[in-house]
Amino acid sequence: EDQVTQSPEALRLQEGESSSLNCSYTVSGLRGLFWYRQDPGKGPEFLFTLYSAGEEKEKERLKATLTKKESFLHITAPKPEDSATYLCAVRTDNFNKFYFGSGTKLNVKP
Amino acid sequence: ETGVTQTPRHLVMGMTNKKSLKCEQHLGHNAMYWYKQSAKKPLELMFVYSLEERVENNSVPSRFSPECPNSSHLFLHLHTLQPEDSALYLCASSQDQGYEQYFGPGTRLTVT
């Protein structure tokens, strides 16, 4: 059964304290892994797409990496404005199947 | 208007009402999606349209009825909903199926 699991469910960091969020997946065939950021009361905002193991993407303080079983979203020296829920999603061999994880709620304290 | 817009932003309806949610994308995309987001649960994909043709219906109850009159507009018609249908309904679009999706702000639906 296709499955996407994110951990931890919630993460509290001090400003400047780097950490990583995990997205592990079990799918029949990965066609793409996507990271999104969602602020309260808003729709998810696209961050990155990763297609193959070993691929990395960076944007400001965020860096996403991908292996054959999981993806990490590394946050370097986070700021309070990075506080949000981070979602990952995968697209499988079945072109129309798109699965989201439950998200990691990140809180960065000043 | 830019990106993906949704109206209304908030909706309260009784179980016997009929209402519609509207989504419009200004990105020139060919695919549009409806998602349901409930508290403590992952986003659930409800419907997928590609080039105005429905390509996926993920076992959604018939009380939800989508309509895609053109590649820029998507509707979700609601009738005789249940309280458990209360959730945030999100619309998204993408260049083509399988590409990254861009989301609207959502409609917060409460069924009383």
Side-chain angles (χ1 to χ4, degrees):
Chain A
E1 183 184 326
D2 295 333
Q3 198 168 353
V4 179
T5 304
Q6 289 189 247
S7 61
E9 196 173 305
L11 181 63
R12 279 182 131 185
L13 298 174
Q14 286 297 127
E15 184 172 1
E17 180 187 2
S18 302
S19 188
S20 297
L21 314 183
N22 177 265
C23 171
S24 62
Y25 59 90
T26 309
V27 297
S28 53
L30 182 72
R31 290 295 193 178
L33 187 141
F34 305 82
W35 281 100
Y36 291 86
R37 168 192 170 128
Q38 186 173 23
D39 292 296
K42 295 187 175 182
E45 175 190 344
F46 169 71
L47 293 173
F48 304 109
T49 307
L50 301 166
Y51 289 106
S52 55
E55 191 175 355
E56 298 182 354
K57 293 268 178 81
E58 277 188 77
K59 180 181 179 180
E60 296 179 355
R61 294 178 293 282
L62 301 177
K63 179 180 177 180
T65 62
L66 181 65
T67 71
K68 288 187 178 180
K69 292 185 179 181
E70 58 192 349
S71 176
F72 291 94
L73 184 65
H74 307 278
I75 304 177
T76 302
K79 298 182 177 182
E81 53 262 41
D82 294 322
S83 297
T85 296
Y86 290 85
L87 304 170
C88 78
V90 300
R91 180 166 77 84
T92 72
D93 270 348
N94 183 337
F95 205 57
N96 302 323
K97 294 299 182 185
F98 213 83
Y99 299 98
F100 274 83
S102 298
T104 293
K105 186 173 182 179
L106 175 65
N107 185 6
V108 181
K109 294 204 165 274
Chain B
E1 295 270 26
T2 58
V4 180
T5 58
Q6 290 186 244
T7 54
R9 294 294 310 278
H10 301 272
L11 178 62
V12 179
M13 60 186 287
M15 293 185 347
T16 58
N17 291 159
K18 286 184 180 182
K19 296 285 184 183
S20 296
L21 310 184
K22 179 183 174 184
C23 174
E24 184 174 358
Q25 60 98 357
H26 309 268
L27 299 169
H29 289 166
N30 291 323
M32 296 188 77
Y33 312 78
W34 278 118
Y35 284 89
K36 175 182 179 182
Q37 188 172 36
S38 305
K40 306 282 187 182
K41 292 176 73 175
L43 268 79
E44 299 171 54
L45 180 60
M46 300 174 71
F47 300 103
V48 180
Y49 277 83
S50 178
L51 296 171
E52 301 146 47
E53 190 176 318
R54 192 193 315 183
V55 296
E56 184 72 11
N57 171 358
N58 284 313
S59 304
V60 178
S62 60
R63 57 186 184 270
F64 295 91
S65 174
E67 179 190 359
C68 187
N70 56 60
S71 60
S72 298
H73 293 87
L74 186 64
F75 294 89
L76 188 62
H77 303 298
L78 317 170
H79 64 99
T80 59
L81 294 190
Q82 305 297 311
E84 59 264 29
D85 296 322
S86 298
L88 181 68
Y89 288 85
L90 291 160
C91 172
S93 70
S94 64
Q95 180 183 337
D96 285 299
Q97 273 187 274
Y99 285 78
E100 62 272 12
Q101 296 173 21
Y102 293 83
F103 286 81
T107 295
R108 173 66 63 185
L109 174 66
T110 303
V111 181
T112 61

